[in-house]
Amino acid sequence: MTLWHGRFGGDPSDELLAFTVSLPFDQKLAGDDIACSRAHVRGLGRAGILSSEEAAAILEALDQVEDELERAIFTFSPEDEDIHTAIERRVTELAGSTGAKLHTGRSRNDQIATDLRLYAKRELSELAGRVHALERAFLDRAVEVGDCYLPGYTHLQRAQPVLLAHHLLAHGWALARDVDRLLATSARLDVSPLGAGALAGSSLPLDPDAVAADLGFARRFENSLDAVSDRDFVAEILFDLALLGVHLSRLGEEFVLWSTDEFGFVTLDDAHATGSSMLPQKKNPDIAELARGKCGRLIGNLTGLLATLKGLPLAYNRDLQEDKEPLFDAVDQTLLALAAVTGLLRSVRFHTDRMEAAADEPAAAAVDLAEFLVADGMAFREAHALVGGLVRDAIERAVPLVELVEAHPALGTPAAELLEPGVAVTRRTTAGGAGPKAVTEQLARFRSHLTMEEERLGRTLRHG
Ligand code: ARG
């Protein structure tokens, strides 16, 4: 029997059911739906719409439904088009005509919006916690590698040496912005739509403020039409996760490159790499590649939802059912990716000798030579051209650059010393720069940022 059988002469067609069911994926909302129903029943009790015996009977039926679902002995019926229908049907079976009062003053439209926000709040704090754990892994590895340096790249061409810790923290700071975004999204979506009804509120003496508080929301909706139509929060989460996915993807790309024989900057731990079915010698960076690959899907989830939303008039339209699969998929995939990438980073072996050898190529200190001349009063453009000429000369005549520097009247031995291995990186001393002094300070700042972030996460969890 459908929820709307009164108005209809017959049963829905099989094709309709097959096309419109959401039960296969919205079962994920079962716990949130029960929480939402409990708050609604308590609200109906406070309003005197249910007697205390009736409220108790429905709450007891909800307990049993929860138990059956948790123990996976809940029997779904072919007519359960979604989890909300299934739970209400079972409550009515258990509590009889009293159970049939559960849906009083409520629509699936405000119910679904409420369930989805409860789900989102919980998952966002889980996600933010996992991003935080990855940031900690970056901090730990950055501390461990000390003053090791490697080439910094622009256009994937060696540019200037940077500390490895500096490079690692660059990823750390990007993730810190991700946590910030997830928490801001969570705060903005902390609104209860329950009590908006199908679209217009109710003639019954319901109290949306009280059910909002009962469910732990920061506030209730301001406008019933907006309450049941608003999926901004889903779009925002999908954006946050797409951007987080972009960060994981570019990190993955680096691990792919760094683990090649050509770079040889890292060796992946065996437990975090895969082999080849045919080529016995292979060790493949699959976690890194999937961190890159799954990002396409996260971006697709965002663009797909925006396309779904763009043509919808107010208020509820069945199109909105299409919000759930992209959201669930993005959350699930991101949680898996974060755990795998954290394991990869914690276990990877850095080849600091290879990194430093690559960064010690004398031309990497070319800008230091130019700045040496600038310190002597030469205009930077002139200095740039002079050093550029020496580099070209060195390449064309196959002479070591250091010999040309030694021999040049404006440069000489003190300038040649800048080309010694390990010297250039120590000269990046400005705040936020890539040298040891600045990075020591940066490490302290990142550490205190993480402490602050942990407090914020704790608060979010407590207010869940
Ligand atoms: N499963 C649907 C969804 O997730 C429920 C829609 C029911 N609402 C309605 N008025 N048809 O959106």
Side-chain angles (χ1 to χ4, degrees):
M1 194 163 61
T2 60
L3 296 174
W4 54 85
H5 61 275
R7 157 81 174 76
F8 282 64
D11 288 335
S13 69
D14 291 345
E15 306 87 273
L16 177 131
L17 283 175
F19 187 50
T20 59
V21 283
S22 54
L23 186 63
F25 53 85
D26 66 17
Q27 287 185 48
K28 231 186 197 2
L29 296 175
D32 299 304
D33 196 66
I34 288 171
C36 175
S37 288
R38 284 187 178 125
H40 182 61
V41 169
R42 287 191 285 262
L44 292 173
R46 283 192 301 272
I49 298 162
L50 293 177
S51 69
S52 51
E53 295 73 35
E54 287 174 323
I58 302 179
L59 289 172
E60 200 178 308
L62 283 167
D63 288 346
Q64 176 161 344
V65 169
E66 181 177 52
D67 181 65
E68 289 176 3
L69 284 163
E70 272 170 15
R71 292 168 47 215
I73 54 166
F74 186 99
T75 320
F76 288 99
S77 128
E79 277 153 19
D80 293 339
E81 64 166 80
D82 56 24
I83 189 65
H84 325 284
T85 316
I87 291 174
E88 192 188 334
R89 172 191 51 78
R90 184 69 183 133
V91 166
T92 309
E93 280 168 17
L94 292 167
S97 57
T98 307
K101 294 186 173 181
L102 167 61
H103 211 53
T104 313
R106 181 177 79 170
S107 158
R108 273 185 299 162
N109 301 348
D110 57 345
Q111 182 182 357
I112 293 163
T114 307
D115 292 0
L116 205 56
R117 284 173 190 260
L118 287 173
Y119 162 87
K121 279 174 66 177
R122 192 179 53 253
E123 295 299 330
L124 284 179
S125 62
E126 175 72 21
L127 281 159
R130 299 258 189 114
V131 181
H132 180 81
L134 179 53
E135 284 174 84
R136 287 242 170 249
F138 272 110
L139 175 64
D140 291 346
R141 300 289 337 239
V143 169
E144 177 199 319
V145 296
D147 283 352
C148 160
Y149 55 91
L150 78 166
Y153 295 81
T154 63
H155 312 270
L156 203 54
Q157 307 286 322
R158 288 177 192 165
Q160 282 185 286
V162 298
L163 283 201
L164 175 56
H166 190 60
H167 189 110
L168 295 172
L169 288 191
H171 289 294
W173 289 111
L175 294 169
R177 292 192 294 277
D178 289 316
V179 169
D180 201 47
R181 251 185 301 275
L182 292 170
L183 294 180
T185 297
S186 184
R188 206 165 16 250
L189 70 77
D190 200 0
V191 177
S192 169
L194 195 58
L199 74 164
S202 179
S203 68
L204 300 168
L206 302 175
D207 182 356
D209 283 303
V211 286
D214 189 350
L215 284 168
F217 282 108
R219 54 203 175 277
R220 64 153 167 87
F221 62 94
E222 295 291 343
N223 176 307
S224 62
L225 283 173
D226 184 40
V228 292
S229 316
D230 177 15
R231 294 296 185 276
D232 290 4
F233 68 103
V234 181
E236 279 191 58
I237 296 170
L238 291 177
F239 172 76
D240 295 350
L241 297 185
L243 189 53
L244 169 57
V246 167
H247 293 151
L248 297 180
S249 174
R250 71 182 181 167
L251 174 65
E253 168 65 3
E254 275 184 2
F255 275 120
V256 170
L257 285 174
W258 287 10
S259 62
T260 57
D261 287 337
E262 285 73 8
F263 269 83
F265 285 1
V266 298
T267 298
L268 303 177
D269 169 49
D270 281 0
H272 293 85
T274 58
S276 155
S277 60
M278 179 175 165
L279 308 173
Q281 84 282 13
K282 294 290 308 281
K283 184 161 169 183
N284 294 328
D286 290 31
I287 291 179
E289 290 170 290
L290 278 175
R292 196 176 57 187
K294 295 218 188 231
C295 180
R297 180 166 161 184
L298 295 174
I299 294 168
N301 286 334
L302 170 64
T303 55
L305 180 82
L306 290 174
T308 299
L309 297 180
K310 77 172 270 296
L312 298 186
L314 295 174
Y316 181 85
N317 299 274
R318 189 63 180 263
D319 316 48
L320 289 176
Q321 179 169 293
E322 290 295 306
D323 59 358
K324 286 168 207 66
E325 284 163 293
L327 178 63
F328 296 159
D329 181 63
V331 169
D332 292 346
Q333 291 302 322
T334 307
L335 286 172
L336 290 170
L338 285 166
V341 169
T342 305
L344 180 76
L345 174 66
R346 285 213 174 270
S347 62
V348 75
R349 202 143 50 83
F350 293 118
H351 298 302
T352 53
D353 49 338
R354 292 269 310 192
M355 293 180 178
E356 294 189 352
D360 281 337
E361 166 217 30
V367 79
D368 292 275
L369 293 176
E371 286 171 5
F372 176 91
L373 295 167
V374 164
D376 253 7
M378 191 182 284
F380 180 74
R381 269 298 140 237
E382 236 177 276
H384 184 287
L386 189 156
V387 176
L390 290 182
V391 170
R392 193 178 47 166
D393 231 21
I395 294 168
E396 281 175 0
R397 292 167 40 212
V399 191
L401 179 64
V402 65
E403 280 177 25
L404 302 181
V405 171
E406 285 271 12
H408 196 284
L411 292 163
T413 310
E417 280 165 10
L418 300 177
L419 304 187
E420 292 290 316
V423 172
V425 74
T426 62
R427 295 169 50 82
R428 304 280 96 74
T429 48
T430 45
K437 229 176 106 238
V439 170
T440 303
E441 195 198 329
Q442 187 190 163
L443 278 166
R445 290 169 84 106
F446 191 62
R447 192 191 301 281
S448 67
H449 183 88
L450 290 192
T451 307
M452 218 173 58
E453 193 176 280
E454 199 169 274
E455 279 164 26
R456 272 180 89 191
L457 289 171
R459 251 179 285 137
T460 312
L461 280 180
R462 274 198 301 284
H463 297 302

